[in-house]
Amino acid sequence: MSPQSTPRPERAPSALLAAWRRWWRRLSPARQDRFVTLGPLLAVVLFLAAVTAAFAYLRIEEIDREAEAVRRDVEYAQQRLRLRLLERQEQLMRLTRDVSNREIRLADFAQQAETMANQHPELLAVSWVDARRRVRAIYASPSAGPAQQRQAGDTLAAGETEQTFGLVRDLRQPVYSRPLGAGSETAASIPTLQLQIPLDNQGRFDGVILGEYSLDALLRFGVPPEVSARYAVALTDDQGQVMAGSLPPARPTAAQLLPWYQEAAVYEIPVSPVGNGLLIRAQGYRTSLGVVGSGFFWLVSALSVLTVWMLLGTWRHTRRRVQAQEALVTETNFRRAMENSMLTGMRALDLQGRITYVNPAFCQMTGWSEPELVGRTAPFPYWPDDDVDWLMARLDEELAGRSTSGGFEVRVKRKDGSIFDARMYVSPLIDPRGQQAGWMTSMTDITEPKRIREELSNSYERFTTVLEGLDAAVSVAPLDSAELLFANRLYRAWFGGDVAGHLQLITQAGMPAVAPSDDLLDPVDSLAGLPTHTLTAAAAENAEIFVPELGKWLEVRSRYLSWVDGRLAQMMIATDITPRRQAEEQAAMQAERAQTASRLITMGEMASSVAHELNQPLTAISNYCKGMVSRIERGNIDTADLVGALDKTARQAQRAGQIIHRIRAFVKRSEPNRTPSEVATIVSNAMELADIELRRHHVRLSHYIAPSLPKIMVDPILIEQVLINLLKNAAESIEQAGRPTARRRVELRVSRHQTPDQEEMVEFTVLDSGHGLSEENSKRLFEAFYSTKAEGMGIGLKLCRSIVESHQGRLEAENLYNGDEVLGCRFTFWLPAASETAAVDPGQSEESVEASLRR
């Protein structure tokens, strides 16, 4: 074969080898050593990676097969559970339709529910609940827990049941609740699932049919046996808590040390139609991986690790010296950077007191550079001229080892001549042989902290001066302690310097004082660790008390605060309100006199009418007496005629006495007395007095009182005063309007009234045919001392409104119209019906009237 016929591709290995040699020669010796060391290591790593990848690939395939089988079986079990739930839902919906159509009576409901529960063991209870969440009928199986053992008339508990109930009411569709069990609001020992189906009553929500399932029974009868035999199956909620069934615990085995080890296949899916709140979860039982495979892996791994360890030993030996050098450089740079970044000035002195080192912070504080300071001896350039002798003495003590551990304050002079305050700390400087080589001094600028401390001290003095000058007693004491933390001047003047006055204020204000106990000797606060932000953020509590020892009325305000040491304390502020209480008592007496004066004024205005009314029975009595005397003198009267005349005379005298009794009861000054009163009696008494005035004005009075009116908790005399004033004003309005006789009438109507809040009231209405109210009079109608009558005082309607409002009522006035024509006026007031819960303090009426008059 000729040279020309030699195949040229045979030269390729030679060319590659030459290129490799040229590249190798260009490497530095250090890199050549590193490459030789890392080459075998890289080969071992690649070998381990190949073996690991092979094992991992086989294991992944096995895991995928297991996961697919679990997913398929779980979906099959979920379909079985879904069909079982849908069957129970359809049966409950049929029962719901029968209840909505009134085909099932209340007595038959429990029987049908019992039949359904006996046929299906997962159904624990079936309840009929009305729209107000009260149970009308229920059947609970013997296996039901305490939460399902309800009685007819019980109300569903709040929580998840209430939320599901509201959702059913809004959607008008069957709704499943979240799984209920341990930790839910039912606190039941049996995990359950609720289904609520709405009841419809002609388009109106009428309650629900509540079915409660046992999750344990649902899992036991709903999951196929073949699935339960292959997997650990459980029902969980959306938080992962197991509600039924169980999952096998993780067991540590040698297989867990393998890199590809994975837990047994797990799959979970929501249970339809419940939704994401209930999930079925299955986990396969773990099987062994085989001793042969694990042993082979550990053998290969051990040999590979041994080879790598031998190669790494040589590699580490060559790098130790480089690492030590790099660590030394790094440590030096780190210490230098740390010293340069410190805000504390550092200064080193040798044993002779010469400066050997200063850091940049020290130079920055003093304004002197490092070359200007290193090597200098006392006196140093940063010493103020006035402090040289004192600083020299301190330096001698420092060199003699007598420096204080807490440091000392000095004044330091900057290079520009300015002075600042600093604190210096001195400690001995020890060399590597353990011998003292000098002294290290740290210096901190305390100018700003000292200024702040002085300002805080001044602020404290000003604050204390303000508290001492208050006209209220201020005291602070910790809870559960007999210590008084603070007391101002007025507190000390009233109660002395102990905590007894503080506790007395707490007790009289209605807050129980804590008696000191042996626990107070414990220096640890007994309330430490408890949350206090709710107490300290709460509003202050107020109370008015009388202190017999001082003879004063005090307004006590209390609130909680965190003291400077973190303890929870209670602050009491007591203000002397004796003058105010005396003024209130005077105002109460004035209000009582105003009411009595108003009644006297009313009777004074009605004096002519009352006199005319009394004149009639007195005239009749006089005529009867004269007639009897005349007939007795003539001797032509028998006993029967005499008895008849005397009886008529007695009735006329009784009539006059009743009129005087009514007037006397009306104007008599008495204490407010609220009692359950008959409406008809109050109206009758008021009409008897008002009718006298109405007849004087030739006004007819008609009335209507609704039957079976409830009693009202009022002071009858005050309500009679309101009615008499309104009726008298109505007659005067008709008189001023000049109405003809046919239209001169006043109507009084009393009836029931119910507010939008379903509160029962009694409505009093007075209608007249006068000229009505002008726009200006309507705005100022209830103002004090405003009147449209020349001789009026302007307090009648104001008192009427105050009396009505003091009885928790209200008074209104409006015109009566026929088109644009004003036909008269209507005054209406409402009073609440009496009830046991509406009973009030008898003095409340008078106090409310007084408050209204003061306003």
Side-chain angles (χ1 to χ4, degrees):
M1 181 178 296
S2 62
Q4 290 78 7
S5 62
T6 303
R8 298 187 62 87
E10 293 181 357
R11 295 182 180 180
S14 303
L16 292 176
L17 183 60
W20 169 264
R21 288 175 179 173
R22 289 193 299 271
W23 176 79
W24 180 261
R25 293 192 188 101
R26 288 197 297 267
L27 294 176
S28 62
R31 291 190 176 183
Q32 290 177 3
D33 294 341
R34 184 176 300 177
F35 184 82
V36 171
T37 304
L38 294 179
L41 178 62
L42 181 62
V44 173
V45 171
L46 292 176
F47 171 74
L48 290 177
V51 174
T52 303
F55 276 103
Y57 175 75
L58 296 176
R59 181 59 183 155
I60 289 173
E61 281 195 348
E62 181 183 0
I63 292 173
D64 291 341
R65 289 194 300 270
E66 292 179 359
E68 179 63 24
V70 171
R71 184 187 64 80
R72 184 173 58 252
D73 292 338
V74 170
E75 289 180 351
Y76 172 61
Q78 189 265 356
Q79 290 295 329
R80 290 286 298 273
L81 287 175
R82 176 176 177 272
L83 292 176
R84 195 172 188 91
L85 287 173
L86 289 176
E87 289 177 0
R88 302 296 86 75
Q89 178 179 337
E90 181 61 29
Q91 292 175 352
L92 290 174
M93 290 180 68
R94 286 199 297 269
L95 179 62
T96 302
R97 285 194 296 270
D98 293 341
V99 172
S100 298
N101 297 333
R102 303 294 189 269
E103 297 178 4
I104 295 180
R105 295 177 302 176
L106 193 64
D108 300 334
F109 177 83
Q111 182 178 0
Q112 293 203 16
E114 180 180 3
T115 302
M116 187 182 302
N118 292 336
Q119 293 176 354
H120 309 291
E122 68 271 16
L123 198 58
L124 288 177
V126 180
S127 307
W128 179 357
V129 182
D130 62 13
R132 290 177 293 182
R133 301 176 59 248
R134 287 205 300 261
V135 178
R136 298 192 61 189
I138 183 174
Y139 172 76
S141 66
S143 60
Q148 290 79 39
Q149 298 292 341
R150 306 183 184 90
Q151 301 295 329
D154 292 348
T155 302
L156 294 182
E160 182 65 31
T161 304
E162 180 181 6
Q163 296 175 3
T164 308
F165 186 87
L167 191 60
V168 173
R169 180 180 56 205
D170 296 338
L171 300 179
R172 302 293 179 87
Q173 294 180 1
V175 174
Y176 285 90
S177 70
R178 296 178 69 258
L180 305 176
S184 68
E185 89 281 359
T186 60
S189 59
I190 300 178
T192 60
L193 176 69
Q194 293 183 353
L195 170 61
Q196 298 190 23
I197 304 175
L199 292 170
D200 185 85
N201 184 8
Q202 298 181 355
R204 180 174 58 85
F205 178 74
D206 198 28
V208 299
I209 295 299
L210 172 63
E212 298 180 76
Y213 300 90
S214 170
L215 293 179
D216 289 331
L218 191 63
L219 180 67
R220 186 167 61 254
F221 296 104
V223 176
E226 58 272 18
V227 175
S228 301
R230 289 196 296 268
Y231 307 101
V233 184
L235 293 176
T236 66
D237 59 9
D238 53 358
Q239 304 297 326
Q241 182 179 4
V242 177
M243 307 302 294
S246 61
L247 296 175
R251 297 180 179 178
T253 61
Q256 289 180 338
L257 300 177
L258 296 176
W260 59 75
Y261 176 79
Q262 185 173 347
E263 293 290 341
V266 178
Y267 186 74
E268 64 180 16
I269 186 175
V271 177
S272 178
V274 177
N276 295 331
L278 183 65
L279 297 91
I280 180 173
R281 180 173 181 175
Q283 178 176 342
Y285 296 108
R286 184 71 267 165
T287 58
S288 175
L289 296 176
V291 179
V292 176
S294 299
F296 173 72
F297 173 80
W298 285 114
L299 178 62
V300 174
S301 299
L303 293 175
S304 301
V305 169
L306 181 61
T307 304
V308 172
W309 179 77
M310 294 175 64
L311 294 174
L312 288 178
T314 304
W315 180 67
R316 284 197 305 269
H317 181 71
T318 59
R319 289 199 41 94
R320 282 177 182 172
R321 301 179 70 179
V322 176
Q323 291 176 352
Q325 183 179 358
E326 292 177 352
L328 180 60
V329 173
T330 302
E331 182 69 17
T332 303
N333 294 335
F334 173 76
R335 290 182 178 273
R336 175 62 62 178
M338 183 176 63
E339 292 176 1
N340 294 337
S341 63
M342 288 178 59
L343 298 178
T344 302
M346 305 295 295
R347 181 201 65 182
L349 301 177
D350 59 13
L351 296 177
Q352 288 73 36
R354 184 182 294 105
I355 297 178
T356 59
Y357 167 79
V358 289
N359 70 339
F362 191 92
C363 297
Q364 185 177 2
M365 288 182 184
T366 61
W368 300 87
S369 63
E370 183 177 358
E372 292 174 328
L373 295 176
V374 174
R376 296 290 296 267
T377 58
F380 300 119
Y382 52 82
W383 282 3
D385 297 336
D386 299 338
D387 300 341
V388 171
D389 296 338
W390 181 80
L391 290 173
M392 185 65 73
R394 297 292 305 184
L395 179 61
D396 294 340
E397 293 179 0
E398 180 181 339
L399 296 177
R402 296 194 301 269
S403 60
T404 58
S405 60
F408 55 92
E409 289 189 14
V410 297
R411 295 198 309 154
V412 180
K413 182 178 70 174
R414 296 188 179 93
K415 190 174 183 179
D416 58 5
S418 60
I419 304 294
F420 68 93
D421 295 318
R423 176 171 287 274
M424 287 189 173
Y425 301 89
V426 181
S427 60
L429 185 62
I430 307 300
D431 62 10
R433 295 189 297 266
Q435 298 179 357
Q436 183 175 352
W439 302 91
M440 177 61 71
T441 304
S442 63
M443 183 175 68
T444 305
D445 186 356
I446 63 171
T447 303
E448 186 64 18
K450 189 175 181 180
R451 182 187 64 82
I452 294 175
R453 184 167 60 251
E454 292 176 354
E455 290 182 356
L456 289 176
S457 177
N458 295 334
S459 299
Y460 173 76
E461 292 180 1
R462 290 193 295 269
F463 179 70
T464 304
T465 302
V466 171
L467 289 181
E468 290 290 336
L470 286 178
D471 58 352
V474 181
S475 60
V476 181
L479 298 184
D480 197 13
S481 175
E483 177 186 3
L484 187 62
L485 299 177
F486 176 81
N488 69 342
R489 176 186 55 80
L490 190 57
Y491 177 88
R492 296 192 298 271
W494 284 353
F495 303 104
D498 56 5
V499 77
H502 183 90
L503 298 178
Q504 179 183 358
L505 294 177
I506 293 176
T507 303
Q508 289 192 242
M511 291 162 284
V514 180
S517 61
D518 295 338
D519 296 337
L520 298 180
L521 301 177
D522 191 350
V524 179
D525 187 1
S526 60
L527 303 177
L530 296 179
T532 61
H533 63 277
T534 304
L535 287 175
T536 56
E541 300 178 1
N542 294 0
E544 294 183 1
I545 63 174
F546 180 75
V547 181
E549 295 82 355
L550 302 176
K552 298 178 183 293
W553 279 95
L554 301 181
E555 181 183 18
V556 179
R557 287 169 290 174
S558 170
R559 69 171 302 155
Y560 297 94
L561 51 85
S562 294
W563 196 241
V564 292
D565 56 1
R567 286 185 292 175
L568 182 62
Q570 187 175 17
M571 178 175 66
M572 304 295 294
I573 303 175
T575 306
D576 186 2
I577 60 170
T578 304
R580 193 190 76 189
R581 293 287 296 208
Q582 293 174 351
E584 290 177 353
E585 293 176 0
Q586 292 293 333
M589 295 174 61
Q590 293 296 336
E592 183 180 351
R593 294 193 189 102
Q595 291 182 13
T596 305
S598 175
R599 292 196 290 269
L600 291 173
I601 291 171
T602 301
M603 293 311 302
E605 294 173 351
M606 297 169 57
S608 60
S609 300
V610 172
H612 176 72
E613 188 70 16
L614 286 174
N615 188 51
Q616 292 181 2
L618 294 177
T619 302
I621 292 172
S622 177
N623 292 335
Y624 284 133
C625 291
K626 289 178 181 180
M628 286 186 293
V629 170
S630 176
R631 294 185 62 180
I632 290 173
E633 290 177 349
R634 293 195 303 268
N636 60 350
I637 184 171
D638 55 10
T639 304
D641 293 340
L642 181 60
V643 171
L646 291 175
D647 182 62
K648 292 178 181 180
T649 301
R651 284 200 301 271
Q652 292 298 326
Q654 184 179 8
R655 178 187 173 192
Q658 288 177 349
I659 294 173
I660 295 174
H661 174 73
R662 294 298 181 197
I663 294 174
R664 182 176 179 276
F666 180 72
V667 300
K668 182 178 67 174
R669 180 176 179 179
S670 61
E671 293 295 328
N673 182 23
R674 288 197 186 186
T675 57
S677 306
E678 294 287 349
V679 176
T681 303
I682 295 175
V683 173
S684 176
N685 294 340
M687 287 176 55
E688 186 173 346
L689 291 177
D691 190 49
I692 299 174
E693 182 70 9
L694 268 63
R695 287 201 303 271
R696 185 173 71 86
H697 292 290
H698 307 289
V699 176
R700 297 192 312 275
L701 174 62
S702 60
H703 69 280
Y704 168 76
I705 302 177
S708 303
L709 288 175
K711 292 184 178 181
I712 54 178
M713 181 67 68
V714 297
D715 186 334
I717 297 300
L718 294 178
I719 303 305
E720 289 176 16
Q721 181 178 354
V722 173
L723 289 173
I724 291 173
N725 281 339
L726 295 180
L727 293 172
K728 186 172 71 69
N729 289 344
E732 293 174 352
S733 177
I734 295 174
E735 181 70 20
Q736 293 177 3
R739 299 298 188 191
T741 305
R743 294 182 58 186
R744 300 171 73 89
R745 58 184 178 81
V746 174
E747 182 179 358
L748 172 61
R749 300 182 60 85
V750 185
S751 60
R752 289 176 178 266
H753 177 75
Q754 199 168 32
T755 65
D757 298 333
Q758 306 302 316
E759 182 181 2
E760 188 175 9
M761 311 281 285
V762 176
E763 180 181 87
F764 298 81
T765 304
V766 177
L767 302 97
D768 64 60
S769 56
H771 48 60
L773 300 170
S774 65
E775 183 177 356
E776 180 183 0
N777 292 340
S778 299
K779 295 179 180 178
R780 306 184 60 186
L781 187 62
F782 297 106
E783 289 185 10
F785 308 111
Y786 174 76
S787 176
T788 59
K789 297 179 290 185
E791 69 281 2
M793 296 182 61
I795 63 173
L797 288 177
K798 173 63 178 177
L799 277 175
C800 289
R801 188 172 192 176
S802 299
I803 292 171
V804 171
E805 290 179 351
S806 69
H807 288 81
Q808 290 79 49
R810 56 191 177 94
L811 172 63
E812 294 180 357
E814 60 181 347
N815 287 333
L816 302 175
Y817 292 93
N818 183 13
D820 295 334
E821 181 185 2
V822 178
L823 298 181
C825 184
R826 173 168 55 202
F827 280 82
T828 306
F829 66 92
W830 297 267
L831 295 175
S835 63
E836 294 182 0
T837 59
V840 296
D841 183 13
Q844 182 178 355
S845 170
E846 190 71 15
E847 294 173 359
S848 301
V849 174
E850 296 160 10
S852 300
L853 286 176
R854 288 196 299 271
R855 291 194 297 268

